[in-house]
Amino acid sequence: MSIIVKHLSFVYNPNTPFAKKALNDINLVIEDGDFFGIIGHTGSGKSTLVQHFNALIKPSRGNVRVDGMDPAEKGADLRELRSNVGMVFQYPEYQLFAETVFDDVAFGFRNYYKRSKKELKRDPDRFKAETEERVREAITMVGLDYEKIKDKSPFDLSGGQKRRVAIAGVIVMRPKILVLDEPTAGLDPRGKAEILRLLHELKKNYCPTIVMISHNMNEIASNCNKIAVISEGKIICVRSPQELFSDDELIREKGIEVPEAVRLFKLLRQKGISFDRLPFNAEEAAGLLFERLKEEGKYA
Amino acid sequence: MEAIRFDNVTFRYNQTGDLRPPEEVLTDFGPSDYAVRGISFSIQKGEFVAILGHNGSGKSTVAKLMNGLLFPEKGTITVFGMSTRELEKLFEIRKRVGIVFQNPDNQMIATIVEDDIAFGPENIGIEPDEISRRVDWALRCVGMEGYRMASSFRLSGGQKQRIAIAGVLAIQPQVLVLDESTAMLDPLGRKEVLDVVKSLNKQQGMTVVLITHFMEEASLADRIIVLNDGEKVLEGTPRQVFSRYDYLKSIGLSVPFAAKVARILKDKGVPIEADVLTTEELFERICQLL
Ligand SMILES: Nc1ncnc2c1ncn2[C@@H]1O[C@H](COP(=O)(O)OP(=O)(O)OP(=O)(O)O)[C@@H](O)[C@H]1O
Ligand SMILES: Nc1ncnc2c1ncn2[C@@H]1O[C@H](COP(=O)(O)OP(=O)(O)OP(=O)(O)O)[C@@H](O)[C@H]1O
Ligand SMILES: [Mg+2]
Ligand SMILES: [Mg+2]
């Protein structure tokens, strides 16, 4: 399932003194199987852009096609779209509300299937069983123990657990595209690593396409195959991590922060110690340095 | 001079959300587990202290205990010599200890940015002229001068967070507590805010308590306090604390990038000391090897 964005512009509060152009002629293709990263400064338009992907807001100009369908068109099946494109917002745990983890995770699924009331009336037992199966699947997928956690109050969980429950409430719909707005913000180092591992697992087994907004460059560079840079409502470029972080001029011009590993290797290059590719985290950096030490016959 | 002192502080939340001490609340629910257990530490005026700990380890609870938003069940907390238990001192304490909380949405009070920032200083009886000056200054500190008349609810996540920081700066507290206040900022924004905080600390002698999940940020502090499951488990300079890689990892934490690289190389038999904090230091050491 792909997302194609053409000439998308968006204005908040049009025709008022508060009018604010948040997106300006955006063109973008997210392909099936991408782990697509979006970076850009605070207020550059990242959240506004992704909210178009499941029609939470509609373009002022241009269009967005998800799997060929334009959600802004009359008669578009928004329910179908929203079950295909799962959206995990910034700090999603603030939106947990139900009394139990089970009810929270089940909410979207129940809502979606309430429409098919005829079927429900005919067979409430099956509906119940199906809900249970889906909720069990979602909770297990995010790495939590279903039996242990299903009856707990979401408010009694740790930050990392809450975040997982919120993600479960989205993947319960079995989306084909999962969009996450800063999914690791506010988590401790272990929680961050766990959520990223989870995303790769989900991608392999569930939703083949993942779109992730993040301010954490180590995370973006280490996990995404493509990165879009947004600045003041415009797409500056879409590149692979190696291409993006090797482009010194672009990085300087646009004030893009680089992963710490890249910064180290640029310092080394200035000293005449160069490598044919860039590392994006401590493990990769140490690996490359160790190889080099070995090649030069030093200490190994 | 001592700014904040915790003596054997213990705290439990009541499951009812009631803020009275647990022994005063008789309900079917009863108190929850201890959020903070037997914590003692002392922070001197002008110090820059970071607090680290896994999600749920008690960091925000410690922050709220610092200015009397919560009261200890056992032990005492003193702020510039005043106990947070003396109710008539609470106003003085809150004037001195300003906290920027985690979620900026909960902190927006007024609809216009300017009013939002003025709210704190008005509350402590600052003159209107002075308030206006402070609002200007606070907005400049966080790089949001252009947003004075903007509507608070129409800002991006990171912009709201900057306004929340400005709101507390405008009170000009003697102790500034930042509870993951940079979590939603972009890397440059985070650097800018940290620069402001560092300069308030160095130039004006403002005491800073920085609660963070970024190990690199914590390494800027004079001292780090590490919490685990409500208890204080480590305390020391960044170099001392970050030399405990295995232990930190076992309690859900990590070390700065440079320390991690050095540690991995060392484990592979490379003769490199792992007590580095910054990427520049690591660079120097690698140059000596290659
Ligand atoms: N509801 C709104 N009404 C008016 N303007 C808004 C609204 N929400 C956002 N904006 C403005 O639109 C622009 C883009 O905001 P957006 O939330 O998309 O940014 P972002 O890139 O997600 O930022 P952050 O990294 O801080 O989350 C910003 O300048 C912001 O002030
Ligand atoms: N209002 C509350 N009522 C009941 N329990 C609470 C409340 N607030 C926090 N707790 C519990 O107290 C403990 C400490 O929470 P605290 O918020 O201080 O952790 P933290 O270190 O700030 O975590 P994080 O990094 O996720 O912000 C946790 O077990 C938490 O679930
Ligand atoms: Mg955003
Ligand atoms: Mg906290």
Side-chain angles (χ1 to χ4, degrees):
Chain A
M1 204 173 256
S2 65
I3 299 178
I4 300 173
V5 179
K6 278 196 182 145
H7 300 298
L8 169 65
S9 294
F10 182 79
V11 182
Y12 280 107
N13 316 300
N15 311 317
T16 71
F18 298 113
K20 163 91 200 170
K21 190 163 200 172
L23 297 176
N24 190 354
D25 197 27
I26 299 260
N27 292 290
L28 195 66
V29 179
I30 298 173
E31 283 166 306
D32 201 23
D34 275 343
F35 198 133
F36 197 95
I38 301 179
I39 62 174
H41 294 162
T42 291
S44 57
K46 304 179 295 298
S47 299
T48 308
L49 172 63
V50 301
Q51 284 174 52
H52 283 87
F53 296 170
N54 71 352
L56 286 172
I57 51 181
K58 297 201 171 150
S60 305
R61 270 196 189 186
N63 64 63
V64 174
R65 285 184 183 277
V66 180
D67 199 22
M69 172 185 126
D70 181 350
E73 260 167 26
K74 271 222 175 88
D77 187 348
L78 289 188
R79 279 192 313 136
E80 186 63 26
L81 172 76
R82 288 185 185 144
S83 76
N84 279 329
V85 181
M87 190 79 70
V88 180
F89 296 101
Q90 269 168 321
Y91 291 86
E93 55 276 21
Y94 290 129
Q95 282 158 38
L96 298 175
F97 64 96
E99 276 181 25
T100 67
V101 167
F102 185 96
D103 287 340
D104 225 306
V105 175
F107 181 77
F109 182 76
R110 282 178 175 149
N111 239 12
Y112 181 69
Y113 282 88
K114 244 187 223 149
R115 287 298 186 90
S116 36
K117 270 194 184 121
K118 265 181 244 155
E119 201 190 310
L120 268 184
K121 263 186 199 141
R122 235 183 294 130
D123 203 347
D125 285 345
R126 214 193 88 206
F127 177 66
K128 206 176 150 217
E130 227 164 85
T131 307
E132 202 176 306
E133 189 194 313
R134 292 285 286 265
V135 172
R136 178 193 293 273
E137 180 184 279
I139 290 181
T140 312
M141 270 313 292
V142 299
L144 296 171
D145 185 329
Y146 175 75
E147 291 300 335
K148 265 196 192 150
I149 210 163
K150 70 178 169 51
D151 298 321
K152 283 197 174 170
S153 158
F155 301 100
D156 287 346
L157 305 176
S158 79
Q161 289 174 326
K162 280 186 197 157
R163 186 74 50 95
R164 282 164 183 263
V165 169
I167 295 177
V170 172
I171 65 170
V172 73
M173 301 306 294
R174 294 189 181 148
K176 309 227 169 45
I177 301 177
L178 187 60
V179 182
L180 305 108
D181 199 344
E182 299 190 49
T184 68
L187 295 183
D188 59 42
R190 182 189 288 156
K192 280 192 169 75
E194 282 174 1
I195 291 288
L196 288 166
R197 218 175 303 130
L198 167 65
L199 293 183
H200 282 286
E201 234 163 82
L202 286 171
K203 186 171 183 314
K204 209 162 66 191
N205 305 319
Y206 255 82
C207 27
T209 311
I210 290 191
V211 180
M212 175 168 84
I213 296 178
S214 177
H215 285 310
N216 186 325
M217 296 301 141
N218 300 343
E219 203 170 283
I220 282 275
S222 302
N223 294 287
C224 301
N225 63 319
K226 286 179 201 156
I227 301 169
V229 183
I230 300 199
S231 173
E232 296 176 6
K234 289 192 167 157
I235 296 275
I236 301 299
C237 63
V238 180
R239 303 260 181 94
S240 75
Q242 285 291 337
E243 287 166 350
L244 175 64
F245 292 110
S246 318
D247 190 339
D248 294 341
E249 210 178 303
L250 181 81
I251 282 167
R252 200 167 340 103
E253 211 173 286
K254 295 296 164 193
I256 299 168
E257 185 76 10
V258 304
E260 221 33 44
V262 170
R263 210 161 72 75
L264 173 66
F265 274 54
K266 292 200 166 168
L267 289 171
L268 288 168
R269 198 183 54 202
Q270 283 166 15
K271 270 262 176 169
I273 306 169
S274 44
F275 293 77
D276 55 7
R277 75 196 168 87
L278 291 169
F280 297 129
N281 51 50
E283 287 79 7
E284 289 174 12
L288 287 173
L289 289 168
F290 187 66
E291 296 270 296
R292 179 62 55 90
L293 288 164
K294 234 168 36 182
E295 277 165 30
E296 311 227 326
K298 285 170 185 160
Y299 319 113
Chain B
M1 186 184 184
E2 196 169 49
I4 294 180
R5 180 183 184 86
F6 274 48
D7 276 307
N8 215 359
V9 171
T10 290
F11 176 84
R12 275 182 290 183
Y13 287 95
N14 294 301
Q15 305 242 330
T16 52
D18 199 312
L19 296 182
R20 283 173 293 167
E23 61 270 21
E24 289 175 21
V25 183
L26 294 170
T27 68
D28 296 343
F29 293 102
S32 56
D33 274 348
Y34 288 97
V36 163
R37 268 184 299 193
I39 289 190
S40 302
F41 59 78
S42 157
I43 296 174
Q44 298 301 308
K45 189 169 181 302
E47 241 193 319
F48 184 163
V49 174
I51 301 182
L52 295 178
H54 62 77
N55 288 122
S57 60
K59 303 181 298 297
S60 298
T61 307
V62 164
K64 288 173 191 158
L65 286 161
M66 279 180 180
N67 77 346
L69 286 174
L70 298 173
F71 303 105
E73 182 179 331
K74 287 189 207 121
T76 49
I77 295 159
T78 38
V79 177
F80 293 102
M82 300 174 281
S83 163
T84 60
R85 278 199 185 278
E86 297 169 59
L87 290 180
E88 69 282 2
K89 296 276 168 64
L90 268 187
F91 185 73
E92 280 303 311
I93 287 175
R94 294 196 184 143
K95 226 160 89 176
R96 288 188 167 81
V97 182
I99 307 185
V100 188
F101 290 105
Q102 270 170 291
N103 179 9
D105 279 336
N106 295 343
Q107 290 174 73
M108 291 289 165
I109 298 152
T111 52
I112 303 294
V113 163
E114 173 176 50
D115 297 344
D116 198 86
I117 297 176
F119 182 81
E122 270 165 15
N123 245 0
I124 55 172
I126 307 291
E127 297 296 317
D129 283 355
E130 171 64 13
I131 290 180
S132 176
R133 263 194 300 277
R134 286 194 185 186
V135 171
D136 274 340
W137 170 78
L139 280 171
R140 240 180 300 122
C141 280
V142 297
M144 294 283 289
E145 308 89 309
Y147 287 80
R148 190 172 176 143
M149 303 312 286
S151 159
S152 326
F153 302 103
R154 294 188 172 122
L155 300 172
S156 79
Q159 289 167 336
K160 283 183 192 166
Q161 212 159 19
R162 285 171 183 238
I163 298 304
I165 295 169
V168 173
L169 286 180
I171 302 170
Q172 298 194 340
Q174 297 184 26
V175 181
L176 177 65
V177 183
L178 298 160
D179 188 355
E180 288 180 56
S181 321
T182 62
M184 282 166 96
L185 297 183
D186 57 61
L188 290 178
R190 186 172 332 125
K191 225 179 257 164
E192 281 167 23
V193 168
L194 281 176
D195 283 345
V196 171
V197 169
K198 266 189 292 182
S199 92
L200 288 171
N201 174 251
K202 293 278 167 306
Q203 258 98 62
Q204 306 196 13
M206 194 183 275
T207 311
V208 175
V209 178
L210 181 74
I211 297 174
T212 181
H213 285 303
F214 292 98
M215 304 299 133
E216 277 83 6
E217 268 181 31
S219 68
L220 300 171
D222 301 321
R223 191 153 55 98
I224 299 177
I225 293 173
V226 183
L227 303 184
N228 183 46
D229 292 340
E231 294 179 78
K232 185 179 90 174
V233 289
L234 272 183
E235 183 173 4
T237 63
R239 223 171 275 280
Q240 288 166 338
V241 167
F242 288 131
S243 69
R244 305 284 305 275
Y245 179 65
D246 294 313
Y247 178 67
L248 291 172
K249 207 171 157 193
S250 77
I251 59 171
L253 302 180
S254 186
V255 296
F257 167 79
K260 197 163 171 186
V261 173
R263 174 57 195 261
I264 298 173
L265 289 174
K266 193 177 175 189
D267 283 352
K268 290 186 183 221
V270 177
I272 183 169
E273 281 313 309
D275 65 339
V276 286
L277 288 179
T278 67
T279 299
E280 280 70 17
E281 275 178 283
L282 175 65
F283 165 66
E284 297 291 328
R285 291 194 192 180
I286 290 169
C287 284
Q288 286 162 16
L289 289 173
L290 272 171

